[in-house]
């Protein structure tokens, strides 16, 4: 189902992937710095989750400014929260690369505003979280992660040039939130693995995300 979500004086393009059975919880999903909501990995994940009973709302927000992307993500969260079509009891925020930074930033802001003590946001899924720029390991983008309290899943390639394995493990060990890392062996930032097809890698990612969501949905939302 295609929708346009009002954002300032513009609209964000978005698509709902709707499960057959009435969903109780959902995932909001967005893309990285390049591309849009039709990035193949996002389409694949949305289809997989919807087929397993999870509502997915994925949206496009162009722009390389992280504050702008965060604002857009916040608008989409509000939109879904107030939606009459889908009465959800909870939602997970998910993003790929820069999209996961925006998602983390939204969760940190909402938890500081005390707006979110209703527990609507259940957790965060970071696909290829860009912990640092290539070859700039000294400047970590970890400030939001360290302040988040809800459960967090990282799915990262062990050969990601923007997320060195030991550095992410170090950040995660300092996080106060319940967290899990799933490493895709030998995958780069784009989740490409020599000798494996994209579909094969996506099957692994999709299943991991779904199992983790199921484990982390608050009991009353199952």
């Amino acid at each position: 189902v295609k929708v346009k979500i009002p954002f300032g004086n513009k609209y964000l393009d978005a698509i709902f992937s709707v499960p057959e059975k009435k969903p109780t919880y959902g995932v909001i999903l967005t893309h990285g710095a390049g591309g849009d909501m039709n990035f193949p990995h996002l389409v694949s994940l949305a289809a997989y989750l919807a087929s397993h009973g999870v509502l997915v709302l994925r949206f496009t927000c162009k722009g390389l400014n992280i504050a702008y992307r965060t604002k857009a993500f916040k608008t989409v969260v509000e939109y879904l929260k107030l939606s009459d079509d889908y009465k959800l009891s909870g939602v997970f925020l998910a993003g790929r690369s820069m999209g996961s930074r925006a998602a983390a930033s939204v969760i940190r802001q909402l938890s500081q505003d005390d707006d979110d003590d209703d527990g609507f946001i259940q957790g965060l899924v970071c696909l290829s979280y860009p912990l640092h720029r290539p070859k700039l390991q000294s400047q970590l983008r970890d400030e939001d992660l360290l302040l988040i309290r809800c459960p967090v899943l990282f799915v990262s390639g062990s050969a990601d040039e923007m997320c060195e394995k030991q550095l992410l493990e170090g950040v995660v060990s300092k996080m106060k939130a319940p967290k899990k890392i799933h490493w895709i062996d030998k995958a780069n930032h784009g989740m490409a693995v020599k000798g494996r097809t994209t579909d094969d890698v996506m099957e692994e990612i999709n299943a991991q995300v779904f199992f983790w969501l199921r484990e982390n949905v608050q009991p009353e939302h199952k």
Side-chain angles (χ1 to χ4, degrees):
V1 183
K2 288 188 176 174
V3 288
K4 287 198 177 289
I5 299 174
F7 177 50
N9 56 2
K10 294 193 286 221
Y11 287 91
L12 298 168
D13 286 313
I15 292 180
F16 278 106
S17 301
V18 186
E20 283 175 20
K21 254 182 33 210
K22 194 167 180 283
T24 52
Y25 70 101
V27 172
I28 300 176
L29 182 59
T30 193
H31 54 89
D36 56 23
M37 65 182 172
N38 296 318
F39 186 73
H41 293 191
L42 302 191
V43 176
S44 167
L45 178 59
Y48 183 92
L49 293 177
S51 72
H52 287 76
V54 184
L55 179 82
V56 182
L57 173 56
R58 60 182 208 276
F59 71 95
T60 294
C61 176
K62 301 282 191 183
L64 296 180
N65 175 319
I66 190 72
Y68 177 75
R69 292 284 298 263
T70 301
K71 210 167 142 188
F73 210 129
K74 224 171 173 174
T75 302
V76 178
V77 173
E78 280 304 305
Y79 171 84
L80 187 55
K81 196 172 182 176
L82 300 171
S83 158
D84 288 332
D85 298 336
Y86 308 102
K87 296 266 189 247
L88 298 180
S89 50
V91 69
F92 290 84
L93 306 193
R96 196 194 160 279
S97 192
M98 187 179 186
S100 64
R101 275 184 74 199
S105 186
V106 170
I107 291 179
R108 192 209 62 188
Q109 285 178 18
L110 289 177
S111 63
Q112 284 177 330
D113 297 347
D114 295 332
D115 289 355
D116 196 51
D117 23 21
D118 58 0
F120 185 65
I121 293 180
Q122 307 255 307
L124 168 66
V125 178
C126 296
L127 308 172
S128 296
Y129 187 84
L131 187 59
H132 52 77
R133 293 199 170 109
K135 302 192 172 64
L136 257 184
Q137 285 89 336
S138 56
Q139 296 171 14
L140 296 185
R141 297 158 170 162
D142 59 357
E143 54 286 348
D144 289 331
L145 299 176
L146 297 174
L147 293 167
I148 287 175
R149 293 283 185 274
C150 66
V152 184
L153 169 68
F154 294 93
V155 180
S156 279
S158 65
D160 187 336
E161 59 283 12
M162 294 177 74
C163 186
E164 200 173 284
K165 195 166 186 281
Q166 280 168 309
L167 291 176
L168 183 62
E169 283 170 345
V171 169
V172 165
S173 69
K174 287 187 286 198
M175 285 171 63
K176 295 181 175 69
K179 64 266 171 178
K180 180 184 177 193
I181 310 179
H182 180 76
W183 293 106
I184 304 288
D185 194 37
K186 301 189 179 67
N188 65 9
H189 189 64
M191 290 292 181
V193 182
K194 273 198 182 110
R196 284 182 73 181
T197 64
T198 307
D199 287 349
D200 181 39
V201 175
M202 280 318 300
E203 268 171 40
E204 179 181 341
I205 295 172
N206 296 346
Q208 284 295 329
V209 171
F210 175 63
F211 290 138
W212 181 84
L213 290 174
R214 215 171 47 183
E215 278 169 15
N216 285 281
V217 173
Q218 301 302 327
E220 70 271 21
H221 301 146
K222 281 191 173 154

